[in-house]
Amino acid sequence: MRAGFVVPYATELEFVELARLGERHGWDAVFGWEALFGVEAWVQLGAAAVATERIRLGTLLTPASRHRPWDLASRVGSVDRLSGGRAVMSVGLGALHEGWTAFEPDEGRATRARKLDECLDVYAGLLGGDPTFRYDGEHYGMEASDVMRPPPTPQRPHPPVWVVGAVAPAGRRQRSLERAARWQGLIPAVHGEEGEPRRVEDLADVTARVRDLREGLGLPWEGYDVVAEADSWGAFARLEPPDPRAWEQAGATWWVESWWDVPPGPDGLAEVRRRVEAGPPDGVRPPRPRC
């Protein structure tokens, strides 16, 4: 199981500093996140790409339904080329809050889900490199074009996509799990009741369901990623049991620290820096030699 961390708040240069620090202290990935108005995540990740050598770079997460898919494919492709093949994109429907609805109205969950699927279809088609690719969807359409196409991405056929997946109530189609099964990774939406921890049995259940779906599609399980979103320092995501090894045995391939309870500002940045310098928690993996 590999280890990553999400930077909750940082300027572009601060993010680069934290990415370099993470690389030196044994982390395998650093993640930003997308805001409608704020620091541009893929610019931030591109800057970190040229300042690092090994650490993977991604989002946790990208609300892909609000992107024009060709714009998104261009941004992710640029980061993958700048990094030599270290980009990863996490996608979901997005958490609606006033920082979203102040700029764009909510189109409704069903519409966002359909747009997400179409966006990913176009993303994969464009980065796949076929100049004859065209698309005619409900929300997005494009004609084939070979005009000034960018170079291919180092990761083929495209940088991997991790998808949020949640178990729907009994009797309903498991659409989000089906979506996750089609792509390269799963971020299980494992949420206990208010104040309750996230339980490893729930991650194991979601993972088994997605594995069955992939097998039904004839897709391999080997190389597929499953993310355990954790917080070893605070209370944002309490896991039961807290030992990362139990989550690895349940199917997790990534342990991602999400420190959303750290406040913005100099004091919060200092705390994030301290946590990054401490390295991944015990039980995730043996520490790497420092660069």
Side-chain angles (χ1 to χ4, degrees):
M1 187 163 62
R2 289 175 284 181
F5 62 94
V6 181
V7 177
Y9 309 101
T11 67
E12 293 83 352
L13 291 177
E14 290 165 350
F15 186 93
V16 171
E17 177 207 354
L18 291 167
R20 295 177 67 182
L21 194 66
E23 189 165 77
R24 290 200 300 273
H25 288 274
W27 296 90
D28 298 293
V30 57
F31 298 93
W33 55 279
E34 294 204 36
L36 271 72
F37 175 65
V39 174
E40 216 299 320
W42 294 101
V43 171
Q44 195 177 49
L45 292 165
V50 298
T52 56
E53 297 180 354
R54 175 190 59 79
I55 199 166
R56 292 190 68 82
L57 306 148
T59 51
L60 200 69
L61 50 72
T62 292
S65 62
R66 59 162 305 273
H67 282 277
R68 292 183 177 181
W70 33 89
D71 292 339
L72 187 59
S74 296
R75 291 169 187 151
V76 182
S78 290
V79 173
D80 204 52
R81 287 186 291 271
L82 284 167
S83 66
R86 290 181 281 135
V88 58
M89 179 174 65
S90 302
V91 300
L93 299 185
L96 287 174
H97 49 72
E98 62 181 15
W100 180 325
T101 56
F103 301 100
E104 296 177 359
D106 177 20
E107 298 176 295
R109 187 177 184 85
T111 297
R112 282 186 279 127
R114 292 194 297 271
K115 291 179 75 172
L116 171 58
D117 286 331
E118 290 191 17
C119 183
L120 292 179
D121 287 343
V122 177
Y123 165 90
L126 287 173
L127 292 182
D130 180 2
T132 67
F133 173 75
R134 60 184 302 278
Y135 195 81
D136 183 17
E138 177 186 358
H139 298 282
Y140 304 111
M142 55 160 286
E143 298 299 327
S145 174
D146 196 25
V147 178
M148 301 182 71
R149 294 179 68 87
T153 55
Q155 295 183 94
R156 306 302 299 149
H158 53 75
V161 178
W162 296 348
V163 180
V164 173
V167 176
R172 290 177 54 183
R173 182 174 171 182
Q174 302 294 328
R175 294 183 183 276
S176 75
L177 301 188
E178 292 172 7
R179 180 182 300 117
R182 294 194 297 269
W183 298 94
Q184 291 78 46
L186 164 69
I187 305 173
V190 178
H191 302 292
E193 297 296 326
E194 180 96 20
E196 292 294 315
R198 302 178 182 185
R199 302 190 182 280
V200 71
E201 295 86 358
D202 295 328
L203 179 136
D205 174 56
V206 177
T207 302
R209 290 170 184 254
V210 171
R211 182 169 187 165
D212 288 345
L213 289 167
R214 278 185 70 80
E215 290 176 353
L217 294 170
L219 297 172
W221 185 250
E222 183 178 358
Y224 188 82
D225 282 312
V226 177
V227 177
E229 192 175 5
D231 178 5
S232 301
W233 294 78
F236 171 72
R238 289 195 300 124
L239 272 57
E240 181 60 43
D243 185 353
R245 285 165 289 209
W247 294 76
E248 183 175 19
Q249 291 172 3
T253 64
W254 280 90
W255 177 275
V256 176
E257 295 277 337
S258 296
W259 300 320
W260 296 106
D261 58 332
V262 175
D267 291 344
L269 181 64
E271 176 61 18
V272 170
R273 188 181 292 115
R274 183 173 74 87
R275 296 181 184 189
V276 173
E277 288 176 338
D282 293 341
V284 175
R285 62 178 303 154
R288 290 177 178 268
R290 295 187 180 182
C291 301

